[in-house]
Amino acid sequence: MIFITVRFTVRPEYRDQWLALVDDFTRATRAEPGNLFFDWSQDVENPDRFVLLEAFADEAAGAAHVESPHFKAGLAAMADAIATTPEIINVTIPNATGWNVMAELSPRG
């Protein structure tokens, strides 16, 4: 599994529009055959920062994503809205296929 985390700091005037701005990109990526998940979060301490957690089944799926027309269109749409160059962590996790259940916590009752 290819696991990627990206932090985007957006210009304040784009904060409330960010998720709508990346909606087409998000939907298209989630529909890719090798996409395992593609989830956005907004930082609670810095509302201008959004974090993207994404994973792809393998290197081929990751490469297909980066080469897709919606990837290029998504980056073009984001370019005017970001305040800084995004920060990224990109790792390969052998034998992983997605999320696992957390052993240390479960619902009561």
Side-chain angles (χ1 to χ4, degrees):
M1 175 175 83
I2 308 297
F3 177 73
I4 303 164
T5 303
V6 187
R7 289 195 307 192
F8 296 84
T9 301
V10 302
R11 299 175 193 274
E13 61 270 25
Y14 285 93
R15 175 191 317 142
D16 295 335
Q17 305 168 43
W18 181 256
L19 294 177
L21 180 79
V22 299
D23 187 58
D24 288 343
F25 175 54
T26 299
R27 289 176 188 272
T29 302
R30 287 177 176 167
E32 293 175 16
N35 179 257
L36 301 176
F37 55 86
F38 196 85
D39 300 326
W40 291 96
S41 299
Q42 187 173 18
D43 189 312
V44 296
E45 293 181 5
N46 179 355
D48 294 335
R49 182 182 293 161
F50 291 83
V51 176
L52 173 62
L53 299 178
E54 57 184 308
F56 298 90
D58 52 32
E59 287 186 34
H65 170 64
V66 172
E67 295 167 6
S68 70
H70 60 267
F71 181 84
K72 293 170 180 60
L75 295 186
M78 293 179 210
D80 290 330
I82 58 173
T84 61
T85 301
E87 302 168 291
I88 189 168
I89 298 170
N90 184 328
V91 297
T92 299
I93 305 172
N95 304 317
T97 58
W99 293 98
N100 291 314
V101 176
M102 183 177 174
E104 298 82 7
L105 182 63
S106 60
R108 288 190 182 141

